[in-house]
Amino acid sequence: MTTSPPSALAGIKVLDLSRVLAGPWCTQMLADLGADVVKVERPVAGDDTRHWGPPFLRDEDGNDTREASYFTACNRNKRSITIDMAHPEGQALLQRMACEADVVVENFKVGGLRQYGLDYDSLKARNPRLIYCSITGFGQDGPYAERAGYDLMVQAMCGLMSITGHADGAPGGGPLKAGVAVIDVFTGLYASNAILAAINARHASGQGQYIDMALLDVGMAVLANQAAGYLATGQAPGRAGNVHPSLAPYQDFVTSDGNVMLAIGNDGQFARFCAAIGQAEWSQDARFATNTARVQHRAALLALMEPVLRTRTTAAWIALFEDKAVPCGPINTVAQAFDDPQVKARGLRIELPRAAHDAMPAVAGVANPMRLSATPVVYHRAPPALGQHTDEVLQQMGLDAQRIDALRSAGAI
């Protein structure tokens, strides 16, 4: 008889009061690692993203359902319970759940949960071991603390859009957002890291703590080398399309049938690239011998490279460079990416079964990229239907069927 390996966060209880993307992304990370995450949703309406479609999930016959696919991106491995926190009995249930939880994650406006007795100070008095993570647009203090914050706003405010897209003078020039709500996703990742740090700190202190996560803080942090460059020089970086500001050649090139991406990060790679295309002398040219020189003489280098790269197909260039340690690849659509043999080999598409009576027997998703050898990620629940686990969770809290029916009749759940 074989047994499943223990989950990394087995025994950790998370009360998830968040919705949309940043908070749910954080709690999905914890759920994937084995935490018991109970997602609290509004009765009838549920999480906003359940309705953010199209696209919608499809039933067995290929017809659209009323469930938006957006919700499934960040809510697997959780249990869904519907509670009206504006109802006194709903508040009492949530307060009790928080007292039994290890972690609470919420993304209400600053101070928004105080009226329900679900703020950190109220809950800490009853559960000193509680780790409480608040996710807001701009943090708990500062002149913008009361503002609502959304990923698109923060991408613009933090400067990310000023370095994303083609330069103003180029065709299609102007600021662009990233194709994914990257600030939300990064905030979820930072928040889950902070929670794990707080859990570890609690082992020594026995005490929980408060975590203040802000989308704007994260947006500034993930500017990474672009922020470092500005801080070092005082010069704000601009948009350069797919060209890397500090590396060359590190961009896309037109081929005979499309485009190819070259990501040459050091002088050895450039020398091998030059030898492979029959232009070994380029790597000996003082203008191109070092990366700094190549960046300084980028225009001259591109004038030489571009005609050569137009002579073969994308696939031919990739095949040529594959065994020569020259980083090179296609620019895929999402469909092509899922069809890529490496993506398939790594099992990055997963199918999570739903209840047998469900109109959708399974929901497709993307695998968690964390590969832990001793405590691997386990996919044990598809993204839940709204309120799917309400009775189950309340019964585990000791409520009998009569009491649950009374709460439902009263509109508390």
Side-chain angles (χ1 to χ4, degrees):
M1 179 178 178
T2 59
T3 57
S4 300
S7 296
L9 295 182
I12 296 295
K13 295 183 178 181
V14 179
L15 181 62
D16 184 3
L17 302 179
S18 69
R19 62 270 195 225
V20 187
L21 184 54
W25 196 272
C26 165
T27 52
Q28 179 171 269
M29 294 291 292
L30 302 176
D32 283 355
L33 292 171
D36 178 14
V37 177
V38 175
K39 180 180 179 69
V40 178
E41 301 187 67
R42 295 171 296 169
V44 182
D47 189 311
D48 292 346
T49 60
R50 288 187 180 275
H51 315 289
W52 281 12
F56 294 96
L57 297 178
R58 292 175 175 173
D59 62 22
E60 290 181 287
D61 298 323
N63 300 313
D64 281 353
T65 67
R66 294 183 178 180
E67 296 189 55
S69 60
Y70 196 121
F71 177 85
T72 69
C74 51
N75 286 292
R76 66 168 170 254
N77 281 340
K78 303 177 187 180
R79 297 191 286 172
S80 170
I81 179 171
T82 53
I83 296 181
D84 181 1
M85 67 173 58
H87 193 288
E89 291 189 280
Q91 293 170 28
L93 283 174
L94 290 173
Q95 291 166 5
R96 179 178 167 188
M97 293 174 72
C99 288
E100 298 173 359
D102 294 284
V103 179
V104 167
V105 178
E106 60 92 7
N107 60 353
F108 284 74
K109 67 180 182 180
V110 172
L113 291 178
R114 189 173 298 118
Q115 62 182 314
Y116 308 119
L118 294 169
D119 58 299
Y120 176 62
D121 288 337
S122 298
L123 296 177
K124 177 186 177 182
R126 302 171 63 182
N127 182 5
R129 290 175 55 81
L130 182 66
I131 294 161
Y132 190 110
C133 180
S134 293
I135 299 174
T136 58
F138 301 101
Q140 298 296 307
D141 52 23
Y144 301 161
E146 299 296 328
R147 292 186 185 180
Y150 294 90
D151 177 276
L152 181 62
M153 291 169 52
V154 175
Q155 285 198 43
M157 290 182 67
C158 74
L160 182 61
M161 287 176 62
S162 77
I163 57 173
T164 304
H166 295 291
D168 287 336
L176 286 175
K177 70 177 182 67
V180 169
V182 291
I183 305 300
D184 275 342
V185 171
F186 273 121
T187 301
L189 293 172
Y190 272 105
S192 61
N193 273 272
I195 288 167
L196 295 178
I199 290 173
N200 188 62
R202 191 177 66 179
H203 293 324
S205 69
Q207 299 294 306
Q209 59 181 291
Y210 183 74
I211 299 169
D212 172 10
M213 295 296 309
L215 270 66
L216 182 62
D217 297 359
V218 171
M220 298 297 294
V222 300
L223 292 176
N225 59 294
Q226 296 281 34
Y230 165 72
L231 294 172
T233 67
Q235 297 179 347
R239 292 181 300 280
N242 294 326
V243 175
H244 195 290
S246 303
L247 295 171
Y250 199 100
Q251 63 182 82
D252 62 316
F253 290 89
V254 175
T255 65
S256 65
D257 67 345
N259 298 81
V260 69
M261 188 66 73
L262 281 174
I264 293 176
N266 59 52
D267 299 337
Q269 291 174 355
F270 182 67
R272 292 193 294 274
F273 164 78
C274 294
I277 66 171
Q279 302 288 345
E281 67 278 6
W282 290 358
S283 62
Q284 305 302 314
D285 189 315
R287 297 173 299 168
F288 313 136
T290 66
N291 178 70
T292 299
R294 290 193 295 276
V295 171
Q296 293 171 342
H297 298 92
R298 190 193 303 271
L301 177 61
L302 296 183
L304 294 173
M305 291 180 60
E306 287 171 347
V308 173
L309 287 162
R310 285 192 176 96
T311 63
R312 300 192 192 191
T313 66
T314 297
W317 286 122
I318 294 171
L320 176 65
F321 297 135
E322 187 168 13
D323 63 350
K324 297 175 178 64
V326 174
C328 175
I331 302 175
N332 285 332
T333 64
V334 173
Q336 289 169 330
F338 274 107
D339 197 43
D340 185 279
Q342 182 67 16
V343 170
K344 290 181 175 180
R346 296 287 285 177
L348 294 178
R349 176 184 173 133
I350 56 175
E351 296 281 341
L352 302 177
R354 300 249 294 207
H357 62 275
D358 200 297
M360 294 166 292
V363 175
V366 182
N368 190 308
M370 296 186 294
R371 308 292 175 112
L372 288 79
S373 62
T375 55
V377 167
V378 176
Y379 306 105
H380 51 90
R381 287 192 182 93
L386 178 61
Q388 179 179 341
H389 304 97
T390 300
D391 288 17
E392 174 184 300
V393 171
L394 295 181
Q395 287 168 3
Q396 290 176 351
M397 293 171 61
L399 280 66
D400 60 22
Q402 184 176 1
R403 176 61 178 148
I404 294 171
D405 286 343
L407 287 169
R408 187 167 280 119
S409 297
I413 62 174

